Amino acid sequence: MITLKKIWRWYKHKVTENCTDDLVAITSLVYWQNKLFAASVIYLIPLSLMTVIPGLYMVYVEGLFGLFISDIVTIAVVLSVAFYSGWEVKTRKILFNGALYLTSTVLLFYLGSFGPGLLYLLAITVFVVLSLGKVYGYTAVGLNILICAAIGTLIYYDYGNFEIIHGYGVDTWIAVSTNLIFLSAVSVYIIPILFDGLQTAIIRENNLRTDLELEEAQLNQTVDKLNEKNQELEQFAYSISHDLKEPLRMVKSFMGLLQKKYGKKLDEKADQYIHFAVDGADRMQLLIDDLLDYSRVGRSGTEKVSVDFNSVLEDVEQNLGALITQHEAEIHIEHTLPDVSVFRQEIIRVFQNLISNGIKFHKPGEKPIIHIICTDKQTHWQFEVRDNGIGIPEENLNEIFEIFRRLHSGSEYPGTGIGLAITKKIIDRHGGKLWVESEVDTGSTFYFTLKK
Amino acid sequence: MKPKEIHILLVEDNEGDIVLTREALDEGRIKNSISVVRDGWEAIQYLEKNEGYEDAIEPDLVLLDINLPKMNGHKVLQHIKTHDELKHIPVIMLTTSSDDVDIIKSYKNHSNCYITKPVDINSFIDVISTIEDFWISIVQLPPKTN
């Protein structure tokens, strides 16, 4: 069984090798024509061998030597087409179709429409179109006309001694054979149209794919460039804020020194001027520090570690101790919090920003109460920081995560407007989402997600 | 016991900081003298008493900035702490940087302490006088060999 399988595989491989052309691209029609031709040859040989042996016996017994010889020749040609290695694919196709023509013409000659000759002619025409194309197809139709006309002439002159000659009148033959010619002509006309459409589709698809690949490559390039630019920008923000600190420190220091050493010698106005200069420098200092903080997100640590969020909240409460005491704030943690793989310091920062905002923006005369809620969302954890503060007007909800965006004056609520921008950057870096729901005078709830 | 007079080497390129540090040290209670060098390479020349610094006084304390021209503070620190004749000198990193990377790197290179310069002038003066107090009055520095 195994050897039979092996032989079959070898045979298939051999015929395919001879009857196809490796140099033809898969996207061209010729590739599929060759493939079809190879498959036909592969299956035709065993099938014809099976039928031809009893056939040969019959024609031998009946004394139809012409048929006998044509069968032998056809088999020889088909076997050469399959196994002889010196021919081009096109030559093989022509030889193959020619051999089939020989058999069917001889069949027709001997058996007329009683035998399979006419059917063969039609089938061969179709096969010629399929494997060799339109021009060869029309040649086949012409050949069909010639063969039919030749047989018609034989009938007319009552030549020979075969069944067809006696069984037909010329008019009957014309009626039968025109059908064949008509059908084969239709096939030759229609099949190439189908094929052309197919090829256009193949080419178009191929072009589309090339375009798509090109676009994808360009897109990737753009993304790479964008990432690079982004990194450059962050580096720029970092160095700029770093470098700005130095001269600013000089301004502040020497203003301070001026006041310290010469304050008594100056008048009130000069004192005021110094005060404004120092105050301006102070505020600039805060902005620069915040900018530095913002650009530092992601600079520390490259490996996330599994962090116990209960301990994170402990740290946060400790860091915010003064603020919590000052406002008598309450912080409620609803459940035991999970362990999540994060950059610890950054997540502390997130909770610290959100909780301190909740405390800072409390309603006048009301104790700030903050709830921390964690929900298991299967693929990720969802955290909520809910406050009972002044809330955020709906029209401002989108802008609060922008850098240095403030909704209140510094005298009302101090701050530079960096906290939420940093929070967003950190959550983005963790691949999570950050959003807010809020109602004025009722409070805000900040949500963020972290992947499990 | 006669009062100690100590010598400080300030490695700093910012003129403003040089003035501020001098002012702050002047306010201190301890008598001291300062030599100032303005880049890392010069600092090494000074410490090694190379050409031009043959008469340099060996410092009791080095105040070292990180951001320096020619050779940064980390390199200078590394040089001091890897040379037998220099490594006993206490080196205090006094810099604007509060970057963890700088802090860790300094301690790994055996800096004796790391201080971020305060922005506020009063705090700055406080810090300098604390340095003075601690490193000069409280601490026993290695006795000079020459």
Side-chain angles (χ1 to χ4, degrees), chain B residues 3-136:
Chain B
K4 278 193 280 186
E5 186 177 327
I6 69 140
H7 189 74
I8 296 170
L9 176 66
L10 176 63
V11 189
E12 173 66 75
D13 67 316
N14 186 326
E15 291 301 331
D17 274 322
I18 295 170
V19 172
L20 284 175
T21 312
R22 272 188 196 280
E23 295 264 350
L25 284 172
D26 281 351
E27 293 212 351
R29 287 173 285 125
I30 291 116
K31 205 156 182 247
N32 56 62
S33 57
I34 309 175
S35 296
V36 180
V37 286
R38 288 174 172 76
D39 65 58
W41 184 82
E42 220 185 314
I44 305 282
Q45 302 311 304
Y46 180 101
L47 290 162
E48 298 280 358
K49 299 189 180 178
N50 286 342
E51 216 185 314
Y53 292 97
E54 290 89 350
D55 300 329
I57 311 163
E58 189 192 309
D60 299 286
L61 201 62
V62 177
L63 298 180
L64 181 58
D65 193 10
I66 288 179
N67 234 328
L68 291 169
K70 289 190 195 167
M71 194 173 174
N72 71 31
H74 289 302
K75 294 239 170 79
V76 177
L77 174 66
Q78 224 167 11
H79 181 98
I80 295 173
K81 293 302 180 187
T82 50
H83 284 73
D84 256 354
E85 71 282 8
L86 298 176
K87 64 181 173 192
H88 62 279
I89 305 172
V91 178
I92 296 165
M93 307 306 284
L94 185 63
T95 170
T96 47
S97 167
S98 54
D99 203 326
D100 288 350
V101 178
D102 280 333
I103 299 174
I104 292 166
K105 202 169 170 187
S106 296
Y107 282 111
K108 290 219 162 158
N109 283 325
H110 309 287
S111 131
N112 296 76
C113 77
Y114 187 105
I115 292 167
T116 302
K117 289 176 191 167
V119 180
D120 181 72
I121 183 67
N122 290 318
S123 323
F124 186 79
I125 291 169
D126 280 353
V127 163
I128 297 292
S129 68
T130 309
I131 292 175
E132 255 190 330
D133 251 13
F134 181 75
W135 286 100
I136 300 169

Side-chain angles (χ1 to χ4, degrees), chain A residues 238 246 249-250 253-254 261, chain B residues 14 16-17 20 23 96 99:
Chain A
Y238 179 76
E246 187 71 19
R249 212 168 46 81
M250 286 297 110
S253 301
F254 282 95
K261 289 207 153 178
Chain B
N14 186 326
D17 274 322
L20 284 175
E23 295 264 350
T96 47
D99 203 326

